[in-house]
Amino acid sequence: MKVFIKYVLIIVIGTNTINLLLGKLVDKGLVSGTHTYFEEWNQIVSGDINAEVIILGSSRGKVSYDPEVFTKGLQLETFNLSFDAAPHNLQIDKFNTYLSYNKKPKILIQNIDLAHFSTLKQIPFREQILPVSEVPEVREIIKKYEPEYDYWKSQGTMKYAYDVMLFKRAFLYAVDNFDNPPLLDYNGFYPVEKPFQIDSYNLARIEASHIEKPNFINEEGIATTLSFIKNQLDANIQVVLVWLPESERRWRLTERAIHRVKNLVSEFCDENSNITFIDLQKINLDEKNHFYDTFHLNKKGSYIVSSMIVDIINNLN
C-alpha cells in the first residue's frame, strides 16, 4: 500500500510540475510577441513604460491617439494605454494596475463619449491578461469580473485550456515572432488603414435604444468617471478630457443624451483646476477619408486629430 501511495504522489507531483513549467513557457512565449496586447500587459506589470503622458480610452482611444505625434509635439514620452472594447470601469482597473508598477504621468488624456460611461461586467479579449495573471493586481481584476474564478484551478497550462490556439501562438511568437503581423504600433497605438464602411448594425441598435429613451445617460458611469478624474487631479496629474470626432449620421441619433453628458462634464471642469475639456465631436472631417466606420478614425484621421490636440495642450501651457 505504501508503494502504491508513493507512486501516486510521484505521478501527481510530477504532473503538476510539468503543468506549471509548460504554463510558464506558454506565458513567456505569448509575451515575447512584439507589438501585441500580451506584450503591453507584460510591460505594464514589469514597470517598463513610465510615460510622462498616458492616453486612456477604449477602441476609439486605441486607434485615434498617435503617441508618436504627442511625444514629438509635447516633448513628453507618451503611451496609449487604451483598453480595446472596454468602458470606464475596465479602463480604470487597467490604469490603477499601471500605477502600481509605473510612475504616475504628468498628463492623463482621457477619451470620453457616450459608450465610455457604460459598464461592462466581463473582460474583453480576456486572453491578453492570462500570461500575467500571477500578478496580484491582475488576479484581482479577473476575480472582480469572474466571481467563480478559481486561482488554483487556473495554474500552468490550465488557464489556456479554453483556447488551444494560444499554445500555437505562444510557440510562433517565441520563434522569432514567426507569423506575427504587428497589431500595435508605437507605444500602444493601433493604427487602422481600411476603407470607410457604414456600421449599419451599430447605428440601428443605437437608434432603437435612443428612440425609446432619448435622454438616457449612465449617471453611475459618469459619477464613477468623474470621481476617478478627481483622484488624478488630487495626485497633481493634469487631466485632458477629449470627445473625439464621430460621423454626423451617428451623433445625430444620440444628440440629446450627448448634450446632457457634456453639460455635466463642463460643470465638473469649471469646478476644478488643472483640467481641460476638448470637444472635437463636430469638427469638419471627411467621413470617407478620415474614418473607417462612423465611430472610429482611420490612420489619416488619427494623425490630424492627434496634432490638433497637441496644439491645444501646448497653447494651454
Side-chain angles (χ1 to χ4, degrees):
M1 186 67 178
K2 290 182 178 179
V3 174
F4 173 74
I5 294 174
K6 178 181 178 180
Y7 278 122
V8 169
L9 288 174
I10 290 173
I11 292 171
V12 170
I13 294 172
T15 301
N16 188 54
T17 301
I18 292 171
N19 172 54
L20 292 175
L21 290 174
L22 286 176
K24 292 294 184 183
L25 288 174
V26 176
D27 292 344
K28 188 174 181 179
L30 289 172
V31 300
S32 69
T34 56
H35 304 294
T36 66
Y37 289 133
F38 300 112
E39 181 191 42
E40 182 181 299
W41 274 95
N42 190 55
Q43 288 176 312
I44 290 171
V45 300
S46 298
D48 292 337
I49 299 177
N50 295 301
E52 296 166 290
V53 179
I54 287 294
I55 296 162
L56 205 57
S58 59
S59 60
R60 286 236 288 171
K62 211 64 174 169
V63 304
S64 301
Y65 298 86
D66 185 342
E68 189 167 13
V69 174
F70 285 89
T71 297
K72 290 179 179 179
L74 299 176
Q75 293 295 294
L76 296 171
E77 188 66 27
T78 302
F79 195 94
N80 191 328
L81 200 68
S82 296
F83 198 163
D84 194 6
H88 73 281
N89 56 314
L90 282 146
Q91 293 175 35
I92 292 172
D93 291 331
K94 186 175 183 180
F95 183 73
N96 287 338
T97 301
Y98 171 86
L99 288 182
S100 296
Y101 296 92
N102 299 266
K103 68 180 183 181
K104 71 179 182 181
K106 294 179 180 177
I107 301 174
L108 171 64
I109 299 174
Q110 173 68 69
N111 184 75
I112 59 172
D113 47 47
L114 283 187
H116 171 80
F117 301 108
S118 61
T119 301
L120 191 62
K121 296 183 179 180
Q122 61 188 31
I123 304 169
F125 307 113
R126 179 181 184 273
E127 67 275 6
Q128 65 186 283
I129 66 173
L130 293 182
V132 295
S133 59
E134 299 292 321
V135 175
E137 289 81 1
V138 176
R139 192 188 315 158
E140 287 304 310
I141 291 176
I142 298 175
K143 289 168 64 177
K144 180 178 180 179
Y145 296 98
E146 300 174 13
E148 74 284 358
Y149 174 74
D150 188 326
Y151 172 71
W152 297 109
K153 291 181 180 179
S154 302
Q155 294 292 295
T157 59
M158 296 303 294
K159 61 187 173 186
Y160 299 113
Y162 76 99
D163 186 355
V164 295
M165 288 302 296
L166 291 172
F167 293 95
K168 178 181 178 182
R169 291 174 71 180
F171 173 75
L172 294 176
Y173 287 177
V175 185
D176 196 27
N177 285 308
F178 177 74
D179 194 30
N180 177 27
L183 173 65
L184 303 176
D185 198 351
Y186 177 85
N187 282 8
F189 178 44
Y190 180 13
V192 176
E193 295 186 86
K194 60 182 181 182
F196 173 76
Q197 186 172 4
I198 298 174
D199 45 332
S200 302
Y201 171 79
N202 286 329
L203 294 180
R205 176 178 55 82
I206 292 168
E207 183 176 24
S209 64
H210 282 271
I211 285 176
E212 183 178 348
K213 297 180 179 180
N215 292 311
F216 176 77
I217 58 175
N218 190 331
E219 294 183 6
E220 182 179 353
I222 295 170
T224 301
T225 297
L226 296 183
S227 175
F228 164 72
I229 296 301
K230 186 67 168 65
N231 289 339
Q232 310 322 309
L233 294 173
D234 290 343
N236 294 317
I237 298 174
Q238 179 183 353
V239 177
V240 179
L241 304 177
V242 181
W243 199 299
L244 288 171
E246 54 191 277
S247 168
E248 182 175 353
R249 72 176 79 216
R250 186 183 182 107
W251 63 253
R252 285 289 185 192
L253 299 174
T254 58
E255 193 167 11
R256 289 166 66 179
I258 289 173
H259 181 70
R260 287 187 65 199
V261 172
K262 286 183 179 179
N263 282 341
L264 292 173
V265 171
S266 296
E267 288 174 8
F268 177 83
C269 292
D270 290 340
E271 295 168 358
N272 292 275
S273 58
N274 210 27
I275 183 170
T276 303
F277 177 30
I278 301 176
D279 185 2
L280 303 177
Q281 184 199 4
K282 297 180 182 180
I283 65 169
N284 188 25
L285 288 183
D286 182 69
E287 195 175 56
K288 291 185 178 179
N289 289 323
H290 301 129
F291 293 83
Y292 68 85
D293 63 24
T294 62
F295 204 46
H296 296 88
L297 298 170
N298 61 21
K299 186 175 182 179
K300 185 177 180 181
S302 69
Y303 179 83
I304 293 172
V305 169
S306 295
S307 300
M308 292 178 66
I309 297 170
V310 165
D311 288 342
I312 293 172
I313 294 175
N314 278 331
N315 287 330
L316 291 173
N317 300 323

